[in-house]
Amino acid sequence: GSTSGGSTASSVTNRNIPSGYYSTAVGKCGQALLTALYNKITSHTAVSYANLWTAFKDTDTKSNGKIWDVYSTKEFTYSTNQCGSYSKIGDCYNREHSFPKSWFKDATPMYTDLFHIYPTDGFVNNQRANYPFGECSSGTYVASSGTVKALGKLGKSTYSGYTGTVWEPDDEFKGDFARSYFYMVTAYNNKVSGWSSDMLAGNAYPAFSSWAQSLLLKWNALDPVSQKEVDRNEAVYAKQKNRNPFIDHPELADYIWGSLKTTNWSETAAAARAISSPA
């Protein structure tokens, strides 16, 4: 989530959370907190798969007008560089399910939920495939092309508790993806027990396998919410009429899965904590 140069949580502006949006979650913790958030955000307007392309103009455009690609350093031009075929990095961008669609059997409405779908370099996306996210100290990057480099690598997991093949995103977006994953198991908490992945536990709570839960909480803490995520949350909210609670209140993850899961959450205590946390 942090922009280059790093940023503190307190420097993020325009968190336009509608008054009372999270009132039903106050005073809850653990699974009860997860359920309260599920009830709030599960119902939403699903965009069509074709309309994801046009949605990106509002959700994933940088200030310079270029598409914000989270898998490579390429400055893609909206529409013009839409995939299409690709043979190397930088050829085109596509609609990446950061939470792989095969995990939920390509089912709707998950298939078109913008909170986990990002424009990404097609060639790098092909390397990522549907491998779990993870950490791999000796991973392999796809070959660069000119100045265009991959923002992520594939390799054997070096994170405690898992030894399979994983794809490790760039540090700048680890928190973004963690918060997308927290959103997915929350918004679809009634379905998640039937999904299949080494990152998932096959239940509604905690929903994540132990190594994945630990990894995502780590990423959520290390990479604080950036202005990019705040702006994207608003843009998706305008289209889907629901929000990602973990962008509005990243500490919610700690109250559901982490060290605070037996402590009742309150919006005020949470806000004070978020502002004082280091970058």
Side-chain angles (χ1 to χ4, degrees), residues 47-101:
V47 300
S48 73
Y49 189 60
N51 284 345
L52 289 171
W53 289 124
T54 46
F56 287 159
K57 194 176 198 322
D58 298 319
T59 59
D60 292 274
T61 302
K62 297 183 184 183
S63 54
N64 65 0
K66 297 295 186 179
I67 286 291
W68 203 315
D69 172 20
V70 292
Y71 281 6
S72 90
T73 60
K74 174 73 176 184
E75 294 275 275
F76 286 115
T77 300
Y78 171 73
S79 186
T80 308
N81 296 135
Q82 189 175 301
C83 290
S85 58
Y86 47 81
S87 59
K88 65 182 187 306
I89 194 170
D91 282 350
C92 59
Y93 68 90
N94 58 13
R95 297 163 289 189
E96 160 69 328
H97 295 82
S98 68
F99 191 101
K101 59 187 189 290

Side-chain angles (χ1 to χ4, degrees), residues 203-275:
N203 56 31
Y205 183 80
F208 295 111
S209 55
S210 58
W211 74 270
Q213 175 180 288
S214 163
L215 176 79
L216 296 171
L217 286 169
K218 173 189 169 180
W219 287 2
N220 184 50
L222 286 179
D223 174 31
V225 172
S226 61
Q227 193 63 50
K228 173 196 192 291
E229 292 176 78
V230 170
D231 295 343
R232 192 176 199 274
N233 196 18
E234 297 303 336
V236 177
Y237 177 53
K239 297 178 189 304
Q240 296 191 172
K241 308 294 187 275
N242 71 338
R243 302 178 70 82
N244 183 341
F246 304 97
I247 294 173
D248 286 333
H249 287 287
E251 78 291 334
L252 277 165
D254 296 319
Y255 285 83
I256 295 173
W257 295 284
S259 58
L260 299 172
K261 66 184 176 190
T262 57
T263 303
N264 290 339
W265 180 73
S266 74
E267 276 191 272
T268 49
R273 213 176 136 255
I275 289 168

Side-chain angles (χ1 to χ4, degrees), residues 127-168:
Q127 182 201 44
R128 189 267 158 120
N130 63 352
Y131 290 111
F133 278 148
E135 293 179 358
C136 50
S137 57
S138 56
T140 304
Y141 291 90
V142 300
S144 299
S145 175
T147 58
V148 181
K149 297 191 188 79
L151 295 174
K153 56 185 177 175
L154 186 72
K156 182 180 164 67
S157 171
T158 47
Y159 189 77
S160 177
Y162 189 64
T163 55
T165 301
V166 296
W167 198 82
E168 180 174 356

